[in-house]
Amino acid sequence: MSFESLGLAPALLRALAEQGYAEPTPIQAGAIPVVLEGHDLLAAAQTGTGKTAAFALPLLQRMASTEAGGKRRPRALILTPTRELAAQIHDNLRDYGKHLRISSAAIYGGVSMGPQVQTLRRGVDIVIATPGRLVDHMQQRTIDLSGVEVLVLDEADRMLDMGFLPSLKRVISALPKQRQTLLFSATFAPEIKALAMQFMHAPQEVSVTPANSVATTVSHHVHPVDAARKRDLLLHVLSQDSRRQTLVFSRTKHGADKLVRQLEQAGLRAAAIHGNKSQNARTRALGDFKNGRITVLVATDIAARGIDIDQLPIVINYDLPMVAEDYVHRIGRTGRAGAEGIALSLVSHEESGLLRDIRKLLKQDIAINEVPGFELSTPLRLDAQAPRPKQGQRQARPPRQGGSHRPHGHAQQNNGGEHAMGNRKRRSRGRRPAAKA
Ligand code: AMP
């Protein structure tokens, strides 16, 4: 299978060759012809499968092959849950479309509206937006969506999880009925199907990864360790190969910051990325990580969602996630596009139940190996009584100083979506702690 055989235009083929993409990934092979034929598409694919190019390439081709006609209103709208994803999709569109004359703009919260308004006023072909900020532009009448021919809902499940359904409905109702709609989601939960039924026209389905599966090139390892010794074990592991870029997951923002301070004290170059960090700080941390200025990036689940880092060799779970599905999302950052990856989790006795959930979800064994010198005082237990951290339990977190820590207005704008988790209805994920991360 080649990109040529999918019917892509020479200008796109050239850009793909320059990117070093040799052949389409399965989602690209499945989705691109369907989109080029003009059908609506329901695609089950998670980050790491090459899903962005699966919609970006045929979208660029369509934009390039048809006339804009009249004033330059956006002709395509891509909705995505987080700023980071919006920025990355924008980067990818620029890379893939470098030999075409298609303009695009990323519209997300956390930065001032002014420059976005000016860009929109000048006219762009493709808008990549987070739902909250887009609704703000609609309210201020700084965006005209009446010319949208193609709508892409990226990570639709995550947008619903983050409470964006009302914004989505509002945006979609402002779009022309006659349009092509592409919906990408890691899972096809009933809510996603309902969204598709309501807003799509006879969609074709493409599914490349069974829901909740991870790349087969990832090997999973667990080091059991007492909670009090996790930090030392992490330093030990990192010291084995300090040149490697390592993404470390922490369950809480406070825990992420604390860990970064400890890593820095130990002489490592580290930064944290989470919802309390400003957009600038997050972009800088991600940039520093990508160019190697820092070697350890400590992230919370929501902040890390969708961060696009090529071929990360190892992901470490400093804490296990409270919800097993988040393990799959975390691990999606390694073992991409055929590369080998390692997922290493440091698991204390108190997290035994979470490990049990993950093993059940993965339907595969995870190698559990004690590290000499870090033996557990209370062994893990993986039976039905396996303990799990209490709801909302934070590790070594000081008591909160009065008041609510929920933001007002669009949570996504103020806090990169992280707090929206605290607000959302917990439909099927009863165990997720309130106000996590
Ligand atoms: P995504 O699932 O869109 O987040 O893409 C995951 C990663 O795979 C990104 O870093 C892409 O640049 C990369 N990628 C996408 N398509 C291909 C391909 N056909 N060959 C190699 N890498 C790819």
Side-chain angles (χ1 to χ4, degrees), residues 3 21 23-25 28 46-52 308 310 336:
F3 282 112
Y21 294 2
E23 55 182 35
T25 65
Q28 291 160 4
Q46 54 200 49
T47 304
T49 55
K51 69 179 169 62
T52 311
D308 178 18
D310 282 341
R336 286 180 170 198

Side-chain angles (χ1 to χ4, degrees), residues 20-21 39 50 67 147 169 192 236 245 248 305 307 318 325 343 387:
Y21 294 2
H39 297 290
E67 279 300 311
K169 287 190 165 163
I192 300 289
H236 173 76
Q245 299 294 101
V248 176
R305 178 80 190 163
I307 57 177
Y318 186 74
E325 285 85 351

Side-chain angles (χ1 to χ4, degrees), residues 374-385:
F374 293 92
E375 288 81 4
L376 266 179
S377 57
T378 319
L380 299 182
R381 58 180 295 179
L382 298 169
D383 55 14
Q385 273 79 48

Side-chain angles (χ1 to χ4, degrees), residues 346-402:
L346 310 187
V347 182
S348 65
H349 168 77
E350 298 75 24
E351 296 171 300
S352 298
L354 305 181
L355 179 60
R356 191 177 132 94
D357 295 344
I358 289 164
R359 290 219 304 190
K360 260 206 252 169
L361 182 74
L362 292 180
K363 295 194 184 65
Q364 73 184 76
D365 256 350
I366 302 181
I368 301 181
N369 296 308
E370 273 189 342
V371 178
F374 293 92
E375 288 81 4
L376 266 179
S377 57
T378 319
L380 299 182
R381 58 180 295 179
L382 298 169
D383 55 14
Q385 273 79 48
R388 44 184 94 241
K390 295 202 177 59
Q391 291 257 333
Q393 178 174 318
R394 293 181 168 86
Q395 298 199 331
R397 181 169 181 138
R400 206 186 294 150
Q401 307 280 312

Side-chain angles (χ1 to χ4, degrees), residues 62-112:
R62 176 173 173 156
M63 297 291 107
S65 65
T66 53
E67 279 300 311
K71 110 175 192 272
R72 273 173 89 209
R73 305 170 293 183
R75 299 170 58 207
L77 174 65
I78 301 169
L79 289 173
T80 192
T82 67
R83 308 158 180 177
E84 281 79 10
L85 271 170
Q88 275 162 26
I89 294 169
H90 191 207
D91 285 349
N92 289 349
L93 280 170
R94 279 193 289 214
D95 286 340
Y96 305 147
K98 65 196 275 200
H99 304 301
L100 298 170
R101 285 176 43 196
I102 304 292
S103 56
S104 52
I107 300 291
Y108 47 77
V111 294
S112 67

